[in-house]
Amino acid sequence: MLKTKGLEGVVATTSSVSSIVDDMLTYRGFSIDDLAQFADFEEIIYLLWHNKLPKLEQLTEFRNELNVNASLPEELIAQLKLFPTKNIHPMAVLRTCVSTLALYDEEADETSDQANYRKAIRLQAKIPAIIAAYARICEGKEPIPPISSLSFAANFLYMLNGAIPNSKSEEAFNKALVLHADHELNASTFTGRVCVATLSDMYSGITAAIGALKGPLHGGANERVMKMLAEIDEIDYIEPYLKRAFINKEKIMGFGHRVYKNGDPRAKHLREMSRQLAEVTGEDKWYNMSIMMEEIIRSEKGLPPNVDFYSASVYHCLGIKHNLFTPIFAVSRVSGWIAHILEQYENNRLIRPRAEYIGPKHLEYIPIAER
Ligand code: ACO
C-alpha cells in the first residue's frame, strides 16, 4: 500500500493559488521573476486572495485596511510583556499569540465569506505587529504602531526598529516578502489546509501552519543557515567544516528541496539581493562565504541552495536579529496560508489519508496482575 515516504510526489489537492512546473514558480499564473522585480508585497497579498492584481484605488484601500487592522489588543500586549524573554523562540511566541488573538475576535468562529475575509485582513496585519512588539519588548522598549503612509515592508521595519528604513532596505525587504508569499503545497500550507478541512476556524489553521513552519526542515532553516555561517566564521574554515559534515552525513541547512532538484527559482533573486546588500553595507563576509559554500555543495553533493540559504545573509545585512528570520517568513507566508485556507473552505472535503499498519498483530491481552 505505502508508495512514498513523506508523501513525495503525491498530488493531494487541486489548487489555483500557486504552481511549480518545470522548476518555475507562479502565483495565480504570474511568474515570481516578474513579481519579485515589479510588485509591492501588498499587491501580492491582494493577488493571492482575490485572484487578480489590484487597480491603484483598490490597492490604496487594501493598504489602508491592513494599516487600520495592525493594532493589537491591549490584553495581548500586556501578555507579551509577561512572557519570558530569555531562551524563548519568537516563533513559539507567535504561535501562542495567533491562538490568543482568536480569543479577542468576536468573529473567530464565524464561517461566512465576509467574516473570513475580515479575519484574513486582521491576521495579515497583526502578525508583523506581534513580532515587532515582542522583539522590542525583549530589548526593554515599548511596541510602536505602524505609520499609515508607509508600505507594508517599510512599516514592519519601522515597527521593529523605530526608524523609517531607507529605500534600499525597504526594497530588499519587500522583495524578500514577495518571494516567500506562497509555495504550492509546502508543509505548513498543507498543515493549515488539513486543519481547516475539519471546518475548524482560520486562527486554528494559521496557528497549526506556524507550528509546521517553525521546524528546521522547513522555515526554521533560515535562522540555522546564519548560525552555521557564524559558527564557521571564516572563509578558510568552510572546506574543513563541509568535509566533516559530509563524512557525518549531516544535513546542510539551506540546501536541497523536496520538489526542486535543479534549483529553487527564488534563490537566484536572494543571492543577488545578498550581493547588493553586502556592497551597500560593506559587510561582504557572509555573502562571500555563502557563494563559496554553494560552489562546494553543488559540486560535491549536487545540491543547489533553496530559498532559505541566501535569505539568511539578506536579513542579516538588513540588521534583523537572527531569531526573527523564521517569524519574518511567517509575515509573508501567512498571505499564502490564507489564500489556501479560503480555497479549502470553498471546496472542502475532510483530509484523512490512511496509514499502512506495520505493528504486531493478534496479540493476547494479559491481565495486569499476570504481566
Ligand atoms: N544536506 C545534505 N544532504 C542533503 C541535504 C542537505 N541539505 N538535502 C538532501 N540531502 C541528501 C540526503 O541526505 C539524501 O541523501 P541519501 O539519499 O544519500 O540519503 C538525499 O539528499 C535526499 O534527501 P531527503 O532528505 O530524502 O530529501 P527530502 O525531499 O525528504 O528533503 C529537505 C528535503 C527537507 C528540504 C532536505 O533537503 C533538507 O533537510 N534540507 C536542509 C533543511 C532546509 O534547508 N530546509 C528548507 C527547505 S525550503 C523550505 O522549506 C522553505
Side-chain angles (χ1 to χ4, degrees):
M1 194 178 168
L2 182 67
K3 299 244 176 21
T4 56
K5 200 172 172 195
L7 299 181
E8 180 168 359
V10 171
V11 176
T13 187
T14 56
S15 174
S16 64
V17 183
S18 62
S19 85
I20 304 168
V21 178
D22 297 333
D23 291 342
M24 284 234 330
L25 172 62
T26 59
Y27 299 162
R28 299 282 188 194
F30 293 94
S31 151
I32 53 133
D33 293 336
D34 290 343
L35 297 174
Q37 196 182 345
F38 301 117
D40 283 346
F41 179 58
E42 297 90 311
E43 282 181 85
I44 302 295
I45 311 170
Y46 191 99
L47 171 68
L48 292 172
W49 296 359
H50 293 267
N51 197 7
K52 62 179 182 197
L53 286 167
K55 293 193 167 128
L56 187 60
E57 334 59 276
Q58 290 168 323
L59 185 63
T60 309
E61 195 188 323
F62 189 63
R63 271 204 185 111
N64 187 43
E65 275 186 284
L66 288 169
N67 268 320
V68 296
N69 279 284
S71 62
L72 299 175
E74 274 172 30
E75 295 89 337
L76 185 67
I77 295 183
Q79 205 180 335
L80 275 172
K81 290 179 179 171
L82 294 174
F83 286 155
T85 52
K86 286 211 168 58
N87 303 324
I88 300 295
H89 200 281
M91 275 303 272
V93 170
L94 182 64
R95 185 191 57 211
T96 301
C97 287
V98 168
S99 184
T100 306
L101 273 182
L103 309 182
Y104 298 99
D105 188 338
E106 287 177 357
E107 293 191 305
D109 287 314
E110 281 290 321
T111 56
S112 69
D113 292 351
Q114 293 83 348
N116 275 331
Y117 188 73
R118 287 191 290 272
K119 283 183 272 186
I121 294 273
R122 283 176 208 136
L123 277 157
Q124 183 70 59
K126 292 185 199 308
I127 281 178
I130 290 169
I131 294 163
Y134 183 66
R136 288 182 71 80
I137 288 166
C138 287
E139 290 177 356
K141 296 175 186 158
E142 275 299 309
I144 46 175
I147 296 177
S148 61
S149 58
L150 295 184
S151 68
F152 190 95
N155 247 330
F156 177 74
L157 296 175
Y158 169 73
M159 286 192 287
L160 192 62
N161 302 322
I164 296 175
N166 62 41
S167 59
K168 274 263 171 244
S169 301
E170 179 183 359
E171 196 188 310
F173 191 61
N174 176 71
K175 201 180 268 197
L177 292 176
V178 170
L179 289 168
H180 285 81
D182 196 45
H183 203 222
E184 205 219 49
L185 213 54
N186 62 89
S188 54
T189 301
F190 186 56
T191 304
R193 287 189 80 131
V194 169
C195 179
V196 302
T198 67
L199 296 185
S200 189
D201 65 289
M202 191 180 284
Y203 286 98
S204 299
I206 300 296
T207 305
I210 291 170
L213 185 73
K214 182 171 175 281
L217 297 188
H218 189 17
N222 58 9
E223 179 185 348
R224 281 162 176 88
V225 169
M226 202 60 227
K227 188 165 178 269
M228 170 176 70
L229 291 172
E231 254 168 45
I232 301 173
D233 196 41
E234 278 189 38
I235 208 146
D236 290 348
Y237 299 151
I238 291 176
E239 277 199 65
Y241 178 94
L242 289 179
K243 205 170 166 190
R244 205 178 50 243
F246 295 155
I247 290 169
N248 295 334
K249 295 196 174 304
E250 284 167 23
K251 284 279 181 78
I252 321 278
M253 292 291 124
F255 284 84
H257 201 274
R258 172 61 65 82
V259 181
Y260 302 116
K261 298 303 172 195
N262 303 314
D264 183 326
R266 301 163 295 181
K268 61 179 180 294
H269 295 285
L270 288 152
R271 187 197 297 115
E272 175 55 18
M273 283 160 70
S274 175
R275 188 192 67 74
Q276 287 182 16
L277 286 168
E279 213 171 84
V280 172
T281 58
E283 195 185 357
D284 61 3
K285 168 176 166 175
W286 310 111
Y287 171 72
N288 292 337
M289 284 177 67
S290 301
I291 288 289
M292 184 167 176
M293 287 190 78
E294 178 180 348
E295 267 171 32
I296 298 175
I297 296 167
R298 268 186 190 272
S299 72
E300 297 280 319
K301 288 275 161 192
L303 286 171
N306 58 47
V307 71
D308 287 318
F309 188 61
Y310 286 98
S311 60
S313 45
V314 165
Y315 295 149
H316 177 83
C317 281
L318 288 172
I320 293 168
K321 281 191 142 183
H322 302 170
N323 66 358
L324 298 180
F325 289 6
T326 313
I328 283 171
F329 198 148
V331 167
S332 169
R333 184 56 60 84
V334 65
S335 61
W337 291 334
I338 288 169
H340 280 268
I341 285 173
L342 295 175
E343 188 179 59
Q344 187 65 41
Y345 283 141
E346 260 169 36
N347 188 19
N348 190 56
R349 190 160 188 230
L350 179 77
I351 299 173
R352 200 294 188 200
R354 297 294 314 276
E356 182 184 340
Y357 179 70
I358 54 164
K361 291 177 186 163
H362 311 304
L363 299 183
E364 193 187 334
Y365 179 80
I366 302 164
I368 196 159
E370 294 166 32
R371 278 174 224 162

